[in-house]
Amino acid sequence: MGRPHRTLRDLADRLTNEQDRLRFLSIGDLSLEASVAACHSFLPDPVKAALGRLRTLNDDFVVDDLVTLVTPSRAVAVDLLDELVDRQMVHTVGTLADGSTSYRLHEAVRQFVTYGPVGSLRPDHVTGRIRLPWQAAHCGGGMG
């Protein structure tokens, strides 16, 4: 542990404010914020735009929510969801009683697209060496 003088209460207090949460989730030069920023930067513009519209969803959603929020085309909505799942920005949650699949934005992704561009977390000012878990291959580029 890099800061043994800090208490669990201090960490909990730092994580209370959702707008600042990603900023505090780092150890040494490993940063969750930098990892999400790296993946986000490799997304095609339409996929970034879709993510931006999905940031208001705090709970599970279905394809029809994309039809409402993102695109009137169900086929495009399905393709966008496939792309977001492939790139590990969205994950499947389960199958509903009607047979449809429910999805959810990864919490770090939701916080990044919600607060990154306009709040204290600026994607273009993220610092720290980027180390991604195994899904780095899905981000679309070389990482250092």
Side-chain angles (χ1 to χ4, degrees):
M1 188 159 149
R3 295 180 179 94
H5 61 281
R6 294 231 173 121
T7 65
L8 288 177
R9 176 80 262 155
D10 178 50
L11 178 60
D13 289 345
R14 287 170 180 261
L15 298 177
T16 300
N17 183 353
E18 183 178 272
Q19 186 170 348
D20 292 330
R21 193 171 296 150
L22 282 180
R23 186 167 62 95
F24 294 116
L25 293 174
S26 63
I27 298 175
D29 63 352
L30 302 177
S31 165
L32 180 58
E33 180 182 23
S35 295
V36 175
C39 283
H40 187 268
S41 71
F42 286 105
L43 295 175
D45 287 339
V47 178
K48 285 180 184 176
L51 265 179
R53 292 184 183 145
L54 292 175
R55 73 177 178 254
T56 60
L57 301 175
N58 292 325
D59 295 318
D60 301 348
F61 58 90
V62 294
V63 171
D64 289 339
D65 292 320
L66 265 75
V67 172
T68 302
L69 291 171
V70 179
T71 178
S73 167
R74 192 168 207 294
V76 171
V78 168
D79 289 345
L80 277 169
L81 270 173
D82 285 346
E83 181 80 10
L84 290 168
V85 168
D86 286 347
R87 291 178 180 262
Q88 305 275 324
M89 304 303 255
V90 168
H91 61 98
T92 57
V93 177
T95 304
L96 302 177
D98 66 1
S100 62
T101 301
S102 61
Y103 301 87
R104 182 177 291 171
L105 282 173
H106 286 288
E107 187 59 22
V109 171
R110 189 187 64 75
Q111 289 173 13
F112 181 83
V113 297
T114 299
Y115 303 113
V118 295
S120 64
L121 302 177
R122 302 264 322 192
D124 52 341
H125 289 92
V126 173
T127 60
R129 190 172 62 192
I130 298 164
R131 296 229 182 145
L132 301 175
W134 63 271
Q135 73 262 30
H138 297 287
C139 291
M143 305 287 156

